[in-house]
Amino acid sequence: MHSAPCCRSASTFRYSYYRTFETAVDSDAHLYEFVVPMAPPTWNERERVEEYVALMEQGTVPTAVAISTLDVCQPAIDRGDDYFMHWGLTHFLLDGHHKLEAAATAGRPVRLLCA
């Protein structure tokens, strides 16, 4: 089980995702963590999201389910300040879409059960 800290919602032109955590692994490597929902947050039922926000404000930490991958890569050539090995830990959300949106809205944690 993984406990994701407060997540920040982000989106690009076509995809929505949550950035949950980033840290230096060592002096040459950085870890970036993301949660990618399998359905866009716009498909979530507003009432259900608000129910989870209210529960989280009372201290509930809900659990979501994801399948996760770790991708480790680095630039082929040195081009300045960002010549680091990047560890991309990506959780593809299978269940818990409403919970994760509520966590991002409320600034609260959610547990991720990862496989």
Side-chain angles (χ1 to χ4, degrees):
M1 235 196 279
H2 173 74
S3 184
C6 164
C7 20
R8 298 185 311 274
S9 180
S11 64
T12 62
F13 176 70
R14 300 177 71 180
Y15 305 101
S16 295
Y17 61 93
Y18 300 95
R19 286 191 72 161
T20 59
F21 183 73
E22 63 183 70
T23 189
V25 175
D26 60 31
S27 62
D28 295 322
H30 292 164
L31 170 74
Y32 302 92
E33 183 182 48
F34 306 92
V35 179
V36 180
M38 295 292 94
T42 56
W43 292 7
N44 289 342
E45 296 173 14
R46 296 296 107 216
E47 290 177 13
R48 191 72 178 133
V49 171
E50 291 305 317
E51 288 174 14
Y52 281 115
V53 168
L55 287 170
M56 289 177 186
E57 288 173 347
Q58 296 172 8
T60 299
V61 179
T63 300
V65 178
I67 189 155
S68 304
T69 63
L70 177 64
D71 180 41
V72 179
C73 59
Q74 72 182 57
I77 57 175
D78 187 353
R79 291 207 174 167
D81 295 340
D82 193 22
Y83 188 69
F84 295 106
M85 184 175 297
H86 289 205
W87 293 29
L89 180 57
T90 305
H91 309 286
F92 295 95
L93 191 63
L94 302 176
D95 183 53
H97 293 77
H98 295 87
K99 296 171 185 176
L100 205 66
E101 183 181 350
T105 300
R108 306 292 295 196
V110 65
R111 276 187 213 92
L112 285 179
L113 180 60
C114 304

